[in-house]
C-alpha cells in the first residue's frame, strides 16, 4: 500500500482533530540525539499510549468501569491501587478483546498504520504482541537484569534506566511485568510488581497457573495474552500469601457396583467422614480441618467432587482414581472457566451451591440466636426446633423459587442426622 502524503497543516489522519504538525508529525521532535536507549524507547511507548488515549477517549470512558471490574475479578482486593494503573492500562489497550475479538491497539494500527511514523509503528506492534508474565531475577548488573520467565523458561536481559540500588543478585525476587522488545532491547512497559520468593511463591505461581492453563485447554502464552487478569490475580494472591479459591466441581457416571464400592471404602477410610444423606447423595468430607469447602458426593448414578483449593482438588482426584482407576472426573464448573455449567449439569451445580450456602448460613452468627451460629444452636436443647421455625417464618415471606428451594434444602439439612 502506498503511503499517502499528508501536509503539515492538514488534519492528522489519526483522528485526533489536530493538525498533523501538532500531532503525529511531532514524533521526531520528542527525541534528543543524546537520549540513551532506555529513555528513547520509553518515549516511544509513552507516545504510543498517548495516541491511543486520545483516539479512544470516548470509548474508554464507556468501558473503563466494567473493564476494571473484569481486570480485578481474580485479585484479593477489588480496588485497583493507583500504582497499578499502568498495568491495567496496558491490558486495556493491548490484551482486552473487543466484540470482534481484536484489541483496541489492533484497531488503531489497522486504521492509522499508513499515517504514523515508522518508529511508532514498530513500538505499537511490539506492545501489541507483548504479554504479562513473571520473571525470576538471576543476576543484576549496572544497566541490565538477567532474568528468566518462570513459566516459559526463557532467559532475558532486561534494560534498566539506572543501576538498581539496594538489590543484589542473591535476592530471590519475582517480577510481574510486561516485557517489550524494541530496537533490539527488552524492557518493561509500565509498572513492575515484585515479591520475594520466601514462602514458596515460585511454586505457588507455577502450580496454579499450570492448573488454570490445563483448565482453559490453551497454551501458556495464550493464557497470559488473553487472560492477563488471571495472572494478575494469581500474583496478587502470591503477594498476599492467600490461597486461590477455584470452587471446582467435577463429576462422572457410576454404576451400582461402583456406588457400593465407593460407599464402603469411604465409610471405612479414617481420612474421610460421612456427613449426611441429602438431595439424593451421601456426602463425605476429609476428616479434620480443611482449607475450604471439600466434598465427595455419592449418588445412585453419579459421583461428584467439590473443592476450593488446588491441593484439595488434587487430593480428591488422587482418591477417586485410586478407587475407580477407569473413571475420569470431568470439570463441569470452575471459577476460572467463567461460564455457566452445561445444561445437563445445572441441577447438579445448584445442589452443590445450596449445600455451600447452607454451610455458610450454619456458621454465621445471628442476633436472633443471641449471637450464636445455627450450628452452635443446633447442638443445644431445642435448637433444631427453633431453627426450623426460623426457616419456616422466612419461607413464608419468599416468592422467588430459587430462594424457596434453598430454604427447603436448609431445612432438610437441619433435620438430617449428621454422620
Amino acid at each position: 500500500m502506498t503511503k499517502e502524503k499528508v501536509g503539515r497543516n492538514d488534519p492528522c489522519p489519526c483522528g485526533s482533530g489536530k493538525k498533523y504538525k501538532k500531532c503525529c508529525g511531532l514524533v521526531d521532535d520528542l527525541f534528543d540525539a543524546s537520549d540513551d536507549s532506555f529513555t528513547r524507547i520509553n518515549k516511544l511507548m509513552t507516545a504510543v499510549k498517548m495516541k491511543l488515549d486520545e483516539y479512544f477517549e470516548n470509548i474508554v470512558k464507556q468501558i473503563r468501569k466494567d473493564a476494571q471490574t473484569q481486570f480485578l475479578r481474580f485479585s484479593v482486593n477489588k480496588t485497583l491501587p493507583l500504582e497499578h494503573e499502568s498495568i491495567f492500562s496496558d491490558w486495556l489497550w493491548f490484551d482486552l478483546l473487543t466484540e470482534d475479538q481484536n484489541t483496541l491497539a489492533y484497531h488503531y494500527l489497522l486504521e492509522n498504520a499508513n499515517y504514523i511514523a515508522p518508529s511508532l509503528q514498530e513500538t505499537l506492534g511490539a506492545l501489541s504482541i507483548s504479554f504479562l508474565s513473571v520473571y525470576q531475577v538471576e543476576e543484576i548488573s549496572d544497566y541490565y537484569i538477567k532474568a528468566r520467565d518462570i513459566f516459559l523458561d526463557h532467559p532475558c536481559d532486561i534494560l534498566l534506566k539506572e543501576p538498581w540500588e539496594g538489590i543484589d543478585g542473591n535476592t530471590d525476587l519475582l517480577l510481574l511485568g510486561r516485557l517489550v522488545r524494541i530496537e533490539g532491547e527488552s524492557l518493561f512497559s509500565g509498572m513492575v510488581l515484585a515479591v520475594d520468593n520466601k514462602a514458596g511463591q515460585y511454586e505457588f505461581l507455577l502450580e496454579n497457573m499450570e492448573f488454570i492453563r490445563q483448565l482453559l485447554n490453551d497454551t501458556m502464552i495464550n493464557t497470559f495474552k488473553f487472560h492477563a487478569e488471571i495472572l494478575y490475580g494469581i500474583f496478587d494472591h502470591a503477594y498476599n500469601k492467600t490461597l486461590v479459591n477455584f470452587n471446582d466441581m467435577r463429576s462422572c457416571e457410576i454404576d451400582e457396583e461402583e456406588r457400593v464400592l465407593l460407599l464402603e471404602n469411604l465409610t471405612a477410610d479414617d481420612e474421610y467422614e460421612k456427613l449426611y444423606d441429602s438431595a439424593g447423595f451421601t456426602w463425605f468430607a476429609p476428616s479434620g480441618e480443611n482449607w475450604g469447602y471439600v466434598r465427595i458426593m455419592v449418588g445412585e448414578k453419579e459421583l461428584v467432587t467439590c473443592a476450593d483449593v488446588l491441593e484439595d482438588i488434587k487430593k480428591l482426584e488422587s482418591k477417586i482414581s485410586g478407587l475407580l482407576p477407569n473413571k475420569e472426573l470431568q470439570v463441569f464448573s470452575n471459577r476460572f472457566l467463567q461460564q455457566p455449567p452445561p445444561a445437563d449439569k445445572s441441577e447438579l451445580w445448584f445442589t452443590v451451591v445450596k449445600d455451600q450456602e447452607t454451610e455458610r448460613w450454619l456458621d454465621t452468627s445471628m442476633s436472633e440466636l443471641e449471637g450464636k451460629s445455627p450450628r452452635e444452636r443446633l447442638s443445644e436443647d431445642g435448637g433444631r426446633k427453633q431453627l426450623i421455625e426460623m426457616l419456616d417464618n422466612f419461607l413464608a415471606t419468599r416468592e422467588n423459587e430459587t430462594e424457596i428451594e434453598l430454604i427447603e434444602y436448609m431445612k432438610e439439612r437441619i433435620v438430617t442426622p449428621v454422620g
Side-chain angles (χ1 to χ4, degrees), residues 107-212:
H107 282 291
Y108 184 87
L109 191 60
L110 196 65
E111 295 163 14
N112 300 287
N114 236 28
Y115 308 108
I116 59 178
S119 56
L120 287 188
Q121 282 194 47
E122 179 191 355
T123 303
L124 181 54
L127 282 163
S128 294
I129 63 173
S130 68
F131 53 85
L132 206 61
S133 194
V134 177
Y135 301 86
Q136 185 174 37
V137 175
E138 295 183 338
E139 184 180 333
I140 300 175
S141 61
D142 284 348
Y143 291 97
Y144 285 92
I145 299 173
K146 286 190 177 296
R148 184 172 295 273
D149 186 311
I150 70 170
F151 304 107
L152 305 177
D153 197 30
H154 288 174
C156 50
D157 293 334
I158 305 170
L159 182 63
L160 297 173
K161 180 178 181 180
E162 56 192 16
W164 196 352
E165 305 219 352
I167 301 291
D168 58 50
N170 296 321
T171 300
D172 194 0
L173 202 62
L174 301 174
L175 307 176
L176 174 75
R178 179 180 295 268
L179 201 60
V180 187
R181 189 161 183 81
I182 302 172
E183 298 184 352
E185 297 283 7
S186 297
L187 67 166
F188 285 118
S189 168
M191 182 69 180
V192 178
L193 306 184
V195 64
D196 278 317
N197 181 32
K198 293 181 177 178
Q201 284 89 346
Y202 180 99
E203 291 77 13
F204 176 87
L205 288 165
L206 280 180
E207 290 177 1
N208 281 275
M209 286 308 302
E210 175 58 21
F211 176 76
I212 291 170

Side-chain angles (χ1 to χ4, degrees), residues 30-98:
L30 291 173
F31 307 104
D32 191 302
S34 63
D35 282 344
D36 58 84
S37 294
F38 184 94
T39 300
R40 173 177 169 78
I41 295 170
N42 260 288
K43 284 183 176 180
L44 282 168
M45 290 195 291
T46 299
V48 164
K49 294 174 187 180
M50 287 177 65
K51 296 299 294 178
L52 291 171
D53 198 43
E54 289 179 358
Y55 193 73
F56 293 111
E57 181 180 6
N58 291 332
I59 291 177
V60 170
K61 284 180 180 178
Q62 295 172 17
I63 69 172
R64 181 180 175 82
K65 184 177 180 180
D66 288 342
Q68 192 172 108
T69 299
Q70 179 178 341
F71 185 69
L72 296 172
R73 59 185 162 183
F74 300 118
S75 60
V76 176
N77 301 308
K78 302 308 177 186
T79 302
L80 184 71
L82 185 61
E83 60 271 24
H84 296 191
E85 179 64 36
S86 65
I87 299 177
F88 167 70
S89 295
D90 280 357
W91 170 82
L92 185 66
W93 299 130
F94 309 116
D95 295 343
L96 180 64
L97 296 178
T98 57

Side-chain angles (χ1 to χ4, degrees), residues 211-242:
F211 176 76
I212 291 170
R213 183 200 68 76
Q214 294 178 17
L215 194 68
L216 298 177
N217 192 28
D218 210 337
T219 66
M220 193 63 85
I221 289 179
N222 281 348
T223 301
F224 295 155
K225 184 60 184 171
F226 302 112
H227 305 282
E229 70 277 12
I230 291 179
L231 179 57
Y232 176 82
I234 299 300
F235 191 88
D236 194 38
H237 280 77
Y239 181 84
N240 287 283
K241 300 177 184 177
T242 303

Side-chain angles (χ1 to χ4, degrees), residues 270-336:
D270 291 338
E271 293 184 354
Y272 288 82
E273 61 178 325
K274 178 184 174 183
L275 299 178
Y276 37 79
D277 290 298
S278 183
F281 289 91
T282 300
W283 301 66
F284 295 87
S287 304
E289 292 290 329
N290 296 310
W291 291 108
Y293 182 85
V294 189
R295 295 290 187 272
I296 295 178
M297 303 157 53
V298 182
E300 291 292 329
K301 297 181 179 180
E302 203 155 23
L303 167 68
V304 183
T305 64
C306 319
D308 289 338
V309 177
L310 182 55
E311 182 179 350
D312 291 330
I313 295 171
K314 291 182 174 181
K315 283 182 178 178
L316 291 184
E317 270 192 309
S318 176
K319 185 65 180 177
I320 299 307
S321 65
L323 293 174
L324 302 176
N326 296 322
K327 292 289 184 180
E328 183 177 354
L329 291 161
Q330 300 293 326
V331 180
F332 66 87
S333 183
N334 186 291
R335 178 188 176 201
F336 286 83

